[in-house]
Amino acid sequence: DIQMTQSPSVLSASVGDRVTLNCKASQNINKYLNWYQQKLGEAPKLLIYNTNNLQTGIPSRFSGSGSGTDYTLTISSLQPEDVATYFCFQHNSWPTFGAGTKLELK
Amino acid sequence: QVTLKESGPGILQPSQTLSLTCSFSGFSLSTSGICVSWIRQPSGKGLEWLATICWEDSKGYNPSLKNRLTISKDTSNNQAFLKITSVDTADTAIYYCARTYYYSEWYYFDYWGQGVMVTVSS
């Protein structure tokens, strides 16, 4: 099975900061990588699918990139409502999630 | 408007069978590319994909749980189901169902239910 490793596990940043979250797969996942945002007490929400496709209704400050084993979610200007845990998810083989990055305000 | 809602027993004892229902509206499980998946999350922990069933009745299961899982659907009544046999305390979690788009290289959970808490305890 493919292991997904997210870093950092916790990230503290200030409003307006450019924020980068990382996700590394244990083998090439061919850009079959999605990102989900989960706010406290809520169900996850789809942000990005297949590395860099922004889901409808998601603000353009969110973007994704990567290839092979290394992928990134970037928030260009952090907003208070972005406080959440972010999970990466691969579907190159049977699906697996990363353990998540908890994003906090500094 | 797409909505999904999970229902389950709330609490059950070890070794019993967990039966979950996902009732949805705003889409049909007979539409090409549309599936329903089950994902779970132990309290304070990460997400684990369990199973997916699609419009043409194809099914996928998490290999680590495959022998215990059965996914099914009732297309006419807009419901999907998941059974997990021989539960133990490790199956205690919030269980989500999610509409899944699965076509060619695309596979993503675009709408989620609110989740249902299931506790396994003696």
Side-chain angles (χ1 to χ4, degrees):
Chain A
D1 56 329
I2 297 177
Q3 307 300 320
M4 306 299 292
T5 302
Q6 292 189 242
S7 63
S9 55
V10 179
L11 178 59
S12 295
S14 300
V15 173
D17 282 354
R18 182 180 181 87
V19 170
T20 300
L21 286 67
N22 302 297
C23 181
K24 186 175 184 67
S26 58
Q27 64 190 69
N28 181 11
I29 56 170
N30 297 300
K31 296 192 173 185
Y32 294 143
L33 189 285
N34 304 340
W35 289 96
Y36 295 88
Q37 175 195 65
Q38 187 177 33
K39 296 182 179 180
L40 194 63
E42 298 184 4
K45 177 195 290 186
L46 175 67
L47 297 178
I48 287 173
Y49 57 95
N50 284 25
T51 297
N52 56 11
N53 296 276
L54 195 66
Q55 172 66 346
T56 303
I58 301 302
S60 59
R61 65 179 179 273
F62 291 92
S63 64
S65 63
S67 63
T69 61
D70 295 297
Y71 297 83
T72 297
L73 174 69
T74 299
I75 307 173
S76 60
S77 178
L78 185 66
Q79 300 302 304
E81 61 266 31
D82 300 335
V83 168
T85 300
Y86 292 83
F87 295 95
C88 63
F89 169 87
Q90 68 80 23
H91 58 98
N92 184 72
S93 68
W94 63 269
T96 52
F97 288 90
T101 292
K102 185 176 182 180
L103 179 57
E104 303 174 334
L105 283 181
K106 195 179 292 183
Chain B
Q1 178 191 2
V2 172
T3 64
L4 303 97
K5 187 172 184 179
E6 307 86 350
S7 58
I11 187 166
L12 68 168
Q13 296 184 335
S15 81
Q16 291 185 320
T17 295
L18 170 60
S19 295
L20 297 167
T21 299
C22 176
S23 302
F24 56 85
S25 63
F27 68 96
S28 173
L29 251 180
S30 61
T31 300
S32 178
I34 297 299
C35 313
V36 168
S37 299
W38 288 93
I39 299 109
R40 70 180 179 183
Q41 184 172 37
S43 181
K45 297 189 178 180
L47 298 160
E48 180 180 35
W49 170 77
L50 299 175
T52 298
I53 188 165
C54 293
W55 77 100
E56 83 292 40
D57 209 35
S58 65
K59 299 163 189 170
Y61 293 103
N62 186 320
S64 65
L65 293 160
K66 183 176 181 179
N67 292 338
R68 300 174 53 213
L69 300 177
T70 304
I71 194 169
S72 60
K73 62 182 173 73
D74 180 348
T75 302
S76 57
N77 287 311
N78 288 342
Q79 290 183 314
F81 311 96
L82 183 71
K83 290 188 187 297
I84 306 178
T85 60
S86 304
V87 299
D88 66 16
T89 55
D91 296 307
T92 295
I94 297 172
Y95 285 77
Y96 295 101
C97 64
R99 191 183 85 157
T100 305
Y101 185 73
Y102 183 27
Y103 193 79
S104 185
E105 72 269 32
W106 314 109
Y107 180 88
Y108 50 80
F109 314 128
D110 56 356
Y111 293 91
W112 295 63
Q114 63 190 24
V116 61
M117 183 67 205
V118 174
T119 301
V120 180
S121 175
S122 55

